[in-house]
Amino acid sequence: MSPEQPTEPTGKSLFSLQRRERLMEDLRAHGAITVRDIAAKLGVSELTIRRDVNILADEGLVSRVHGGATLPSPLDRSAAGRAAQHSYSIGMVVPSLDYYWPQVISGARAEAEEQNLRIMVRGSAYDAADNRRQVQALLDTQNIDGLIVAPDMSGHHGHELLRWLNALPIPVVLAERRAPAEIPAHRLEWVATDHAFGAGMAVRHLWQEGHRRIGCLTDSSSPTSPHVVRGWQQALAALKIPLEDSVHEDSARQDPAKQGNGGRASHFDQVLELCTKTGTTAMLVHSDTQAVAFVQHCVDRGLTVPGDIAIVGYDDEVAYLAEPAISAVRPPKQYVGKVAVQLMAARLAEGRMRPVHRIELNPDLILRESSIGAPRIPAAGVLQDSL
């Protein structure tokens, strides 16, 4: 088996999690269980159920009684000092630990502390096979009760990963991801930023600043970009800006990052040439690291920002560092982590009786120098002459 094909989870590790979840469901329904009855119901030995009860009791989730277990009472928690313990353990797998996701993790950790939960974070990559490896590592080595994950959902491997996550015996909450309609992931919950709404805010801001041709520069390798493009297109349609005359460039198609600085500069020159041909005076750029590079390129070509071309970035990670500082759409990253933990805590507390929740959060538009001020309508060929 190739390294790209992770092994299937062991039946033993997953079945033990599933068994304890069934045990907790019976406890929530009846308040108490007996080892004999639950062993017969699940078709396992009484020794196995006693071990499960011991594990749950060590975590503070049940109180051991002779021959079985009950849900812990406030008196039990007080006597055992349960407030100092973690009620549940949550695994979290994110595709990056140095861009965008640190704030999501920060929000998740703060909420986990509030909810008395333990959270274990693993970094991954924008790759479905690696996402699955990291999740499997948590399942194999940690006694986790739920999972928050931001998986790569593209292509066949991404779709298979979603089906696998949906079939896990523990609850799964997606962060900044939504399962596509063609994948029947009926058990998956998620919290995600409404990036299409954010893109629409940026377009309307540029329209209000006097721009009548507004382009979009994105990177299709990012899972966020399709939502940004959709919001841009919807806003153009609402403002009656002809889509066929609008600049939409995809950096992944040119792959400037792999071509080095020369490739990036050549690609940005092509974007500016298209702006000249179409009369475009403003651009929405995802991500804002690309927006910073684009602003620098415009300045190097003798263009003024926002006089000759206005720019709004997306993500607001480093947009403020540019000269001039770049307006940017800011997703509520900390709240994405916070709400993901809240969804997980509610699911663990209420069990399968709770309806599946799927939540979208609106981003903010942070206005800075790069997009404020009426556009300077250049004479024909001014942008071209700058190249």
Side-chain angles (χ1 to χ4, degrees), residues 135 146-153 158-175 177-192 340 343-344 347 352 354-359:
V135 170
L147 180 69
I148 298 171
V149 61
D152 175 17
M153 304 185 303
H159 290 181
E160 285 302 309
L161 174 61
L162 280 178
R163 294 187 181 95
W164 180 71
L165 290 170
N166 185 64
L168 290 177
I170 58 174
V172 176
V173 173
L174 304 183
R177 301 289 187 268
R178 308 163 184 80
E182 62 268 25
I183 304 297
H186 59 283
R187 295 182 61 231
L188 296 181
E189 301 188 82
W190 59 72
V191 54
L343 285 177
M344 181 60 69
R347 170 64 55 198
R352 295 182 181 177
R354 174 180 166 87
V356 170
H357 283 50
R358 292 167 177 178
I359 297 175

Side-chain angles (χ1 to χ4, degrees), residues 155-344:
H156 171 73
H157 293 299
H159 290 181
E160 285 302 309
L161 174 61
L162 280 178
R163 294 187 181 95
W164 180 71
L165 290 170
N166 185 64
L168 290 177
I170 58 174
V172 176
V173 173
L174 304 183
E176 288 291 27
R177 301 289 187 268
R178 308 163 184 80
E182 62 268 25
I183 304 297
H186 59 283
R187 295 182 61 231
L188 296 181
E189 301 188 82
W190 59 72
V191 54
T193 301
D194 189 344
H195 297 300
F197 177 83
M201 279 199 305
V203 171
R204 286 176 173 82
H205 158 66
L206 292 166
W207 172 271
Q208 290 167 357
E209 290 294 317
H211 300 278
R212 295 299 179 261
R213 287 290 186 270
I214 301 166
C216 187
L217 174 61
T218 60
D219 178 356
S220 65
S221 64
S222 165
T224 299
S225 285
H227 304 291
V228 171
V229 172
R230 175 166 52 87
W232 169 73
Q233 292 173 335
Q234 291 171 345
L236 292 188
L239 294 169
K240 296 183 171 30
I241 299 176
L243 183 60
E244 60 272 15
D245 296 333
S246 301
V247 175
H248 174 215
E249 278 297 292
D250 174 17
S251 291
R253 188 165 57 237
Q254 301 292 335
D255 208 0
K258 291 184 180 178
Q259 296 176 20
N261 291 335
R264 182 190 292 270
S266 175
H267 178 53
F268 286 163
D269 281 341
Q270 293 174 24
V271 173
L272 292 176
E273 288 174 6
L274 286 173
C275 289
T276 299
K277 291 176 181 177
T278 59
T280 296
T281 59
M283 292 290 292
L284 169 61
V285 184
H286 176 263
S287 63
D288 65 319
T289 54
Q290 181 163 227
V292 169
F294 187 56
V295 165
Q296 291 174 347
H297 183 81
C298 290
V299 172
D300 290 345
R301 290 293 188 261
L303 303 175
T304 63
V305 177
D308 292 317
I309 186 163
I311 296 171
V312 176
Y314 202 102
D315 283 350
D316 202 31
E317 285 283 311
V318 295
Y320 66 96
L321 296 174
E323 182 59 45
I326 301 174
S327 298
V329 178
R330 178 187 292 172
K333 301 159 207 168
Q334 290 199 354
Y335 269 88
V336 169
K338 177 178 181 175
V339 175
V341 171
Q342 290 174 343
L343 285 177
M344 181 60 69

